[in-house]
Amino acid sequence: MADIYTFKRIEKKYRITKAEKDALTARCFEYLIPDPHKNSTVCSLYLDTPDHLMIRTSIEAKTYKEKLRLRSYGTPNAKSKVFLEIKKKYKGVVYKRRISTTLEKAMDYIENGARPESSQIMNEIDYAMNFYGSPKPKMLVAYEREAYYIKDMPNLRITFDSNVRYRTESLFLEKGSFGKPILSDDEYILEIKTDGSMPIWLSHILDELTILPSSFSKYGRSYLDATGLSPINIESTEGEENYVCAV
């Protein structure tokens, strides 16, 4: 499957146990199509200002949030493909724009401002970088992802993330995905990502299994854990999305 570089979608999150994950996948088995890269280690290097302005604003804001990050799937080397991304959320809708480049070129841009390409998306990323005063790596967040699509609904994606962990030192993707865990071994973050509609059968299964939406920002929760702050604020400002059920 070709890489996608622009996204506009609604993301609904649920904090579930392994037993709930197993029950859900069993009930949805006939509809689930494994992603071409079904199992992967997702590593995100988040950029921020010296005073962590971007993540603090994201935690406190109710309407608009944005993040800058460098993402890899697995541990890259200098020549590996990575994604330089800007992710925005406005009134519950997520907009993600990204370019692909090598780790070497991405880090040259982050450290020295050498643009890896000329494109509209690069212009948008560059504008945000300049606006925030050339933010630098402040935290690495990693997790194991199991990903599926829904049969006959290619715009609906279901992912299960486990072993969410972070670190604030050794902020290099090529150093690997080690970090401090923020979930128990039995916990998963379920994400349902769609263009705005959820099939009625899936909504019914979630209701029957009593799987309820639960706000959770991996970077936000990691930041709060690292700083020793209470998670109350972030729990009250995330999860504003609404779905339209579709047959």
Side-chain angles (χ1 to χ4, degrees), residues 6-217:
T6 63
F7 302 82
K8 177 184 176 183
R9 63 195 182 193
I10 294 173
E11 298 180 353
K12 196 79 166 179
K13 298 182 181 181
Y14 307 77
R15 193 168 177 175
I16 63 175
T17 65
K18 185 179 185 304
E20 289 172 326
K21 171 186 178 293
D22 291 343
L24 178 61
T25 53
R27 293 286 299 275
C28 297
F29 180 78
E30 64 180 296
Y31 302 101
L32 296 180
I33 300 174
D35 184 274
H37 305 285
K38 176 188 171 185
N39 297 106
S40 61
T41 300
V42 181
C43 303
S44 296
L45 187 63
Y46 284 92
L47 312 181
D48 215 328
T49 63
D51 61 352
H52 301 277
L53 175 62
M54 296 187 75
I55 187 56
R56 288 191 296 104
T57 301
S58 180
I59 290 172
E60 296 165 3
K62 292 183 179 296
T63 302
Y64 180 80
K65 311 164 186 282
E66 66 181 342
K67 298 169 185 173
L68 286 162
R69 67 191 181 196
L70 183 62
R71 172 164 287 187
S72 70
Y73 296 89
T75 301
N77 58 43
K79 302 299 182 183
S80 297
K81 181 169 71 174
V82 296
F83 296 94
L84 185 61
E85 303 179 343
I86 180 168
K87 184 177 182 180
K88 304 179 182 183
K89 185 176 181 181
Y90 179 65
K91 292 186 176 179
V93 180
V94 173
Y95 303 85
K96 187 164 71 173
R97 311 272 282 172
R98 69 184 188 180
I99 67 163
S100 67
T101 185
T102 64
L103 176 60
E104 182 178 52
K105 290 182 178 180
M107 292 308 300
D108 192 24
Y109 171 69
I110 291 169
E111 296 297 335
N112 305 309
R115 291 166 55 125
E117 67 173 54
S118 295
S119 66
Q120 176 58 35
I121 296 177
M122 187 68 241
N123 289 342
E124 295 172 23
I125 293 172
D126 204 45
Y127 177 87
M129 289 287 286
N130 290 327
F131 180 84
Y132 287 101
S134 299
K136 303 302 181 192
K138 290 298 178 182
M139 181 175 287
L140 190 147
V141 177
Y143 46 92
E144 308 307 318
R145 168 159 287 179
E146 183 178 330
Y148 300 89
Y149 288 96
I150 297 297
K151 183 179 180 181
D152 299 325
M153 297 190 72
N155 292 327
L156 198 157
R157 192 165 185 250
I158 293 179
T159 60
F160 299 95
D161 298 334
S162 60
N163 189 20
V164 181
R165 54 211 186 263
Y166 76 91
R167 65 178 188 261
T168 56
E169 298 180 347
S170 191
L171 296 177
F172 303 93
L173 289 171
E174 64 270 30
K175 295 293 186 180
S177 63
F178 67 92
K180 178 184 177 182
I182 58 172
L183 295 178
S184 70
D185 292 342
D186 186 55
E187 287 185 289
Y188 289 78
I189 302 301
L190 161 66
E191 295 188 21
I192 301 177
K193 308 173 185 187
T194 177
D195 57 4
S197 61
M198 182 190 293
I200 290 177
W201 61 262
L202 179 55
S203 181
H204 286 170
I205 289 173
L206 292 171
D207 288 342
E208 290 167 5
L209 295 176
T210 321
I211 295 177
L212 304 175
S214 177
S215 305
F216 195 88
S217 163

